[in-house]
Amino acid sequence: VIVIYESVRPQITILWRIPGTTIYRSTKQESSGSFVPNVFIARIGSSLYFANASFVKDMLLAYVADLEGVNPTEYIVLEMTPVISVDSTAVHAIEDIVKDFRNRGVRVALAMVGNRVERTMRKAGLKSFIGEQWFFPTVDDAVQYCVRHQHLKRTKAQQNVGDGAAAALEEGTLDSIAVVHGDEIGFSNEMHPDCTMAFLTL
């Protein structure tokens, strides 16, 4: 019964970054962390199929709504490591999630998608629907891209660039935008339980 419950209601884990690092950990496991402004990062806790796809969608919508007054979401990064398979219902649910958030002005990025899941998404046309550029090997790569995209989006809004010019500008400019963190000090026991590690970015 427990196994079935956890499968139907998979855990959605909120992640934040350990200051001074590119490491992202659960907010419940890591007491010292920082959220990325306007970027919501979550880990899907199990494979997706017909029985849990709607639950995952509803939970993501609820989290984003809850954060609206604290850290309004412009980007969602989904860490997919525990997702080892998806069925056709889940593919449609992910498409609905992306559509829904796009209508709200929120972009969805997927990180650490396994080969099996990636193949399923590609065959179903979901990868092309989301966009190849929104798939990343690590959470940090996804976050860096979102921050660059946000910077470019705001720059274009200030310059009043048209859609056609904006697409060309985005294609050639994103990689050239440097993303740096400010002065940070972070602490973690994640590396070794008997040691406290200090991370400094100055």
Side-chain angles (χ1 to χ4, degrees):
V1 175
I2 293 174
V3 173
I4 294 173
Y5 179 84
E6 290 182 349
S7 177
V8 174
R9 299 172 67 88
Q11 187 175 19
I12 310 294
T13 304
I14 300 175
L15 307 180
W16 60 0
R17 185 175 59 83
I18 300 175
T21 75
T22 58
I23 300 170
Y24 292 79
R25 293 285 182 261
S26 166
T27 55
K28 293 182 179 180
Q29 295 176 343
E30 190 62 59
S31 60
S32 176
S34 61
F35 290 109
V36 179
N38 308 123
V39 181
F40 174 68
I41 310 166
R43 178 186 297 124
I44 308 298
S46 75
S47 293
L48 298 174
Y49 64 111
F50 71 94
N52 65 13
S54 294
F55 171 79
V56 170
K57 177 183 177 181
D58 292 343
M59 286 299 296
L60 290 174
L61 289 169
Y63 277 133
V64 169
D66 289 344
L67 288 168
E68 188 61 34
V70 181
N71 186 27
T73 303
E74 294 181 22
Y75 298 89
I76 296 174
V77 176
L78 298 179
E79 200 252 78
M80 304 283 283
T81 304
V83 181
I84 58 174
S85 64
V86 294
D87 69 3
S88 58
T89 304
V91 167
H92 290 304
I94 294 171
E95 184 175 338
D96 286 343
I97 289 170
V98 173
K99 281 181 182 177
D100 198 324
F101 281 118
R102 278 181 182 172
N103 291 336
R104 299 164 187 256
V106 177
R107 293 284 191 162
V108 178
L110 303 181
M112 305 176 76
V113 178
N115 291 335
R116 180 179 175 186
V117 173
E118 191 271 340
R119 282 197 301 270
T120 302
M121 289 182 172
R122 187 181 294 278
K123 287 179 181 178
L126 183 60
K127 192 165 185 179
S128 60
F129 173 76
I130 296 173
E132 298 267 351
Q133 71 273 26
W134 293 100
F135 285 75
F136 302 91
T138 69
V139 171
D140 189 62
D141 287 333
V143 170
Q144 295 278 328
Y145 186 88
C146 290
V147 172
R148 290 188 181 99
H149 190 272
Q150 181 188 57
H151 174 78
L152 187 61
K153 181 175 66 174
R154 291 178 177 174
T155 300
K156 288 186 294 189
Q158 291 172 355
Q159 295 174 349
N160 222 5
V161 178
D163 289 341
L169 185 62
E170 178 175 328
E171 185 177 347
T173 309
L174 272 177
D175 290 339
S176 65
I177 299 173
V179 177
V180 294
H181 301 293
D183 293 350
E184 294 181 327
I185 300 176
F187 300 91
S188 176
N189 292 318
E190 186 71 23
M191 303 301 178
H192 194 285
D194 297 328
C195 302
T196 298
M197 304 289 291
F199 305 96
L200 296 140
T201 302
L202 302 173

